[in-house]
Amino acid sequence: MIKIYKLGEEILREKAEPVAEVTDEIRKLTDDMFEAMIAADGAGLAGPQVGRKLRLFVVIADDDVRRVFINPQIISTSEELSDYEEGCLSIPGVWETIKRPKRVTVQALNEKGKPFTLEADGLLARVIQHEYDHLDGIMFIDRGDPDVAEKTTEQFKKREERAAKKHAEKEAKERSIAAKIAAKEAKKAEKV
């Protein structure tokens, strides 16, 4: 299963690059993304969220249709807005009500490289906009209360620091054990 990157990892804040060609490798990537998204109980997942700096995302919204968007362009949005509590697989456990256009029209390529235009509303429109933001390094918390964004970013930074410290301690312990084993082996070799 591919890794879903979390808030604080650089790639989530970088602008993704267009997919040059829809290949078997790209199709495999989108299949892997669907698998990871479904396992994590998500509705959408973008390339940067799996460590790929590519302009593509996958979506399964309220109609249960698997949709692949490669090199998407949002060409229009409604003036009418709606509020909805959003979450993100890259910011687990954090939810915030975000205001977005109620309807959206997007053009993209599908997994076969064929162009399509889709007019969406409701949850599908919201998920498309959320995932599209990921392609430009924007997280949903950036569209909400700045205090929540700052607090969440700090919380994830501390979480990452704790994980890095734990990892370093584990590696140091493993090196120490390996050194002790090597020293014992060296003593055995001297006696022989």
Side-chain angles (χ1 to χ4, degrees):
M1 180 100 48
I2 56 177
K3 171 188 172 185
I4 297 176
Y5 285 63
K6 304 293 187 269
L7 180 64
E9 297 186 78
E10 262 182 56
I11 194 162
L12 294 175
R13 293 303 192 170
E14 297 174 355
K15 193 170 175 84
E17 297 166 2
V19 174
E21 184 183 355
V22 181
T23 61
D24 286 342
E25 182 185 341
I26 294 295
R27 283 185 279 280
K28 169 81 168 94
L29 173 61
T30 60
D31 286 345
D32 291 347
M33 288 170 67
F34 274 119
E35 183 181 328
M37 179 190 79
I38 292 165
D41 200 25
L45 192 62
Q49 290 180 276
V50 295
R52 300 295 298 271
K53 199 171 162 182
L54 295 171
R55 295 191 75 78
L56 61 85
F57 58 82
V58 299
V59 170
I60 301 178
D62 44 359
D63 59 2
D64 284 335
V65 176
R66 290 168 64 122
R67 291 185 172 90
V68 174
F69 296 79
I70 299 171
N71 298 334
Q73 292 285 328
I74 291 180
I75 56 173
S76 71
T77 58
S78 64
E79 288 185 24
E80 187 181 1
L81 304 175
S82 69
D83 290 336
Y84 191 86
E85 190 176 58
E86 290 187 27
C88 181
L89 297 178
S90 292
I91 315 176
V94 175
W95 298 87
E96 186 177 4
T97 300
I98 303 296
K99 189 179 294 289
R100 293 191 188 267
K102 196 170 189 174
R103 288 178 302 286
V104 65
T105 303
V106 61
Q107 291 180 332
L109 301 176
N110 67 16
E111 67 277 11
K112 295 176 180 148
K114 302 285 185 223
F116 69 93
T117 301
L118 176 70
E119 292 181 23
D121 61 7
L123 182 61
L124 179 58
R126 179 164 296 274
V127 175
I128 288 169
Q129 292 172 79
H130 177 112
E131 299 309 325
Y132 188 84
D133 275 352
H134 278 298
L135 305 182
D136 292 325
I138 299 167
M139 308 288 284
F140 82 94
I141 57 173
D142 301 333
R143 297 202 177 275
D145 181 335
D147 291 338
V148 171
E150 185 179 334
K151 180 181 165 192
T152 302
T153 301
E154 190 59 35
Q155 175 188 356
F156 272 77
K157 183 179 177 185
K158 285 180 182 172
R159 189 183 295 182
E160 188 63 33
E161 287 169 356
R162 284 192 303 272
K165 182 179 177 187
K166 230 178 182 178
H167 181 72
E169 289 170 354
K170 181 181 174 189
E171 283 186 337
K173 188 175 183 177
E174 287 172 354
R175 282 193 303 275
S176 173
I177 291 169
K180 287 176 183 174
I181 291 170
K184 282 184 181 179
E185 294 295 324
K187 280 187 181 181
K188 282 182 187 175
E190 285 175 11
K191 291 180 181 177
V192 174

